[in-house]
Structures are given as structure tokens and as C-alpha cells.
Amino acid sequence: MEEPQKEAANEEQPHRFSSSPADPENPGNPAPADPGNLAPLELASPAADDPGKAAPVDRPQDEGARTVMGDEDPLELPSAGPANFLPHFKLRKFFVLRPGTLNQAIKDIEALVDKEIDGSIHSIWLMAEVDHWNNEKERLVLITDNSLLLFKYDFVMLRCDQIQRIPLNFVDRITYGAFVFPKGSLLRREGEGLRIFWDRLREPSFTSRWNPFTTDFPYTTFTYHPVKDISDTFTTICNINKFREQLMNAAQKVHAVKPVPGKANGILLLNQNIQIEAYVGLMSFIGNQNKLGYCMARGNIGF
């Protein structure tokens, strides 16, 4: 059975600038780079026959690269009064909020979409992935004709570090609800999340459950990104409900067109609690409190 592909970027991706045309009255807004002169991101390339490993990729920049921002500044914060000054000050530490950063990230990851495998891009989302040890990790997520693409993107260096490809015709279950932990667990997580399964017959092994670095789970879990309320733009691209609807519709279309032999076709959409089997979680407590899974300004270190 085909497994979702993971690809790690070995070479730093060339930096490109905003897709907005040069404005003679605004010299700070440069003209776009010529797509023909941009070298594609080179990814790890083991044997292409192994679906669990990366294959060589030659992905030119999409000439019609879209952004969710247009020409507006994504960081249009409401006026911060004394009551909300501190929360807004803390949120501004996220590099994804820096002007032009999100637009650049979207251009970079769109260039990595393989149209022959993935098809056209439907939507782009900013999410927080929650792993099996309750660690949060910043992710950009794309829904395409045939795939769900998860990007680990470095908003500081402006490069993609890892790609996970999940064929939509393998997605068989989507659950949405509050987070819960086993009885006796010291951990708690507020809010709701979304979990996507793509192999209902395979359960994680005992070793995988106790390995904080394992990536062979047949599901992924998302929750809201901390900046979702910073502006209308981020509220839109961090909306889990809209993401769930679009993912459901896209997956149902692929199931009808490309059914998987020997696999029951169709998707279950369940409203139920999402269980994270973690008990003590000291590492996740420290990491989540300090937002170590996000690209943030950490301040000066020294004397």
C-alpha cells in the first residue's frame, strides 16, 4: 500500500521576493524575479521505487503563483489599548506575521507542488500540528486535486525543510472535537482539533507510541495556530472548520475518480473527542509554553 511521502530539503532554497509588481512610487516594493531563472528546490532522492522515501523532484515555479494576501499588509493589527497591548506584543514575535513573510512562504511551497502528482492547488492553510506527545509544530498545509501536502517551513530562513504528501484517495476518516488524555495523565489541552486518518487498518506500534521522534503514524492532528485572531486574513487561513469542509469535498471527489483497489472507498466524518496518549509530557509542556515549535523572535541571549 502506498505510504505518504516525506521529503527533506537538502539545499537552501533561493530567496525570492514579493510577487507584487514594482511600484515606481514605492521603491521598497521590488519587481518579481524571473521564474525561468529560479533553480528548483533540490530534495533528498533515494530510490523512487520506495513510496516511503523521497523521489527526485524538478518543480519549476508556477507562473500563476497565488497568495492569500494580495497587495495588502497581512499584519494589520487592531489598535492595541492598555487591555490588549501585551497579547499583541507577544503575537508580533511570530515571524509569520512579518510583512511579506507569508507571501514569500506561499510562493516557495507552491513551487514545490508537482502538478503531475498533486494537480492544481485548491487552498492554503496555516495550522499547528499536534504530535502524539502533545508537541505543537507550525505547518503550512495545501489541499490540491489529489493530495494533502504538509510543509515544515522555516519562516526565519525562508525555506522549506520537510514535505509530507498524503494522497487524498487514502484518506478514510476525519474526526473533529475536543482534545482528551488518558485517565491519570497530567496533561491538558484547551480548544478543539482535527485528526485525519489514511490507514484505518494499521495501528501504531508500541515502539512508535513511546518514541517522540517517530513519524510513521497513520494520521495527523491539527489545531488552531496562535495567530488566528490577529487579523481577518489570518482568521481565514487558520479556520479549521473551512479546512475540514474543503478537505472532505476534495477527498470525496478523488475517491470517486481514483478508488484504491482492495480498500473501502468513502470517508467517515466523525464528531468525537481526539485522544492524545501522553501521560507526563514534560518535554511538551516546556516546548508548548515557550512555543518552541514555531518560528519566533526569542530575544537577545547574553549579558
Side-chain angles (χ1 to χ4, degrees):
M1 179 178 296
E2 181 183 357
E3 290 288 339
Q5 298 181 6
K6 286 199 173 184
E7 305 171 359
N10 291 333
E11 296 186 9
E12 182 174 342
Q13 186 174 356
H15 293 179
R16 300 188 293 278
F17 299 94
S18 171
S19 58
S20 304
D23 186 350
E25 298 181 1
N26 184 12
N29 189 11
D34 183 2
N37 295 330
L38 299 178
L41 181 69
E42 295 185 7
L43 306 174
S45 56
D49 295 334
D50 186 350
K53 297 183 179 180
V57 179
D58 183 11
R59 295 166 180 160
Q61 170 72 36
D62 184 1
E63 296 181 357
R66 301 182 307 279
T67 65
V68 296
M69 300 300 166
D71 295 326
E72 64 175 324
D73 185 352
L75 191 54
E76 294 182 359
L77 304 181
S79 57
N84 61 1
F85 174 79
L86 183 58
H88 280 294
F89 173 77
K90 291 181 178 180
L91 286 175
R92 293 182 76 114
K93 291 185 176 182
F94 288 88
F95 274 91
V96 70
L97 297 178
R98 303 296 172 93
T101 300
L102 183 57
N103 277 343
Q104 181 63 48
I106 291 172
K107 288 177 60 180
D108 291 344
I109 64 176
E110 283 185 333
L112 299 176
V113 175
D114 190 330
K115 288 191 173 182
E116 294 184 0
I117 299 175
D118 305 313
S120 301
I121 299 173
H122 290 185
S123 55
I124 302 170
W125 307 87
L126 179 65
M127 298 287 176
E129 185 180 22
V130 182
D131 69 9
H132 61 295
W133 273 42
N134 196 39
N135 296 297
E136 291 183 14
K137 303 172 184 179
E138 194 170 36
R139 294 291 183 263
L140 283 169
V141 183
L142 265 65
I143 298 176
T144 69
D145 288 336
N146 304 316
S147 306
L148 177 67
L149 300 174
L150 281 58
F151 294 87
K152 178 183 178 183
Y153 189 85
D154 187 341
F155 290 99
V156 180
M157 299 301 296
L158 297 179
R159 66 183 183 187
C160 179
D161 292 331
Q162 188 183 76
I163 305 172
Q164 182 178 6
R165 174 179 286 109
I166 303 168
L168 289 179
N169 56 344
F170 275 71
V171 175
D172 50 37
R173 184 167 31 127
I174 300 174
T175 61
Y176 177 82
F179 291 100
V180 295
F181 293 84
K183 184 178 180 180
S185 174
L186 301 179
L187 297 174
R188 296 292 182 270
R189 173 174 288 278
E190 301 296 330
E192 297 179 327
L194 180 77
R195 179 167 287 176
I196 304 164
F197 298 82
W198 54 82
D199 190 351
R200 69 180 70 182
L201 300 178
R202 181 166 65 92
E203 291 293 332
S205 64
F206 176 83
T207 305
S208 297
R209 293 178 188 275
W210 288 96
N211 180 2
F213 305 107
T214 188
T215 57
D216 63 350
F217 276 71
Y219 60 78
T220 186
T221 307
F222 295 112
T223 189
Y224 290 99
H225 195 286
V227 303
K228 67 180 179 67
D229 295 324
I230 198 71
S231 70
D232 291 340
T233 296
F234 283 95
T235 298
T236 300
I237 66 172
C238 297
N239 192 321
I240 283 186
N241 291 325
K242 294 293 184 182
F243 170 72
R244 179 187 59 191
E245 294 174 3
Q246 292 200 19
L247 176 62
M248 188 74 179
N249 293 334
Q252 285 177 335
K253 292 179 181 178
V254 178
H255 273 272
V257 177
K258 299 179 180 179
V260 179
K263 183 179 176 69
N265 291 302
I267 306 174
L268 292 176
L269 180 60
L270 304 175
N271 187 0
Q272 65 181 27
N273 293 334
I274 298 175
Q275 185 170 24
I276 300 177
E277 295 186 10
Y279 291 86
V280 179
L282 179 61
M283 184 176 69
S284 66
F285 176 79
I286 296 174
N288 294 340
Q289 286 294 318
N290 294 279
K291 297 291 188 289
L292 298 183
Y294 300 87
C295 293
M296 296 182 64
R298 306 291 173 182
N300 296 326
I301 301 176
F303 298 96

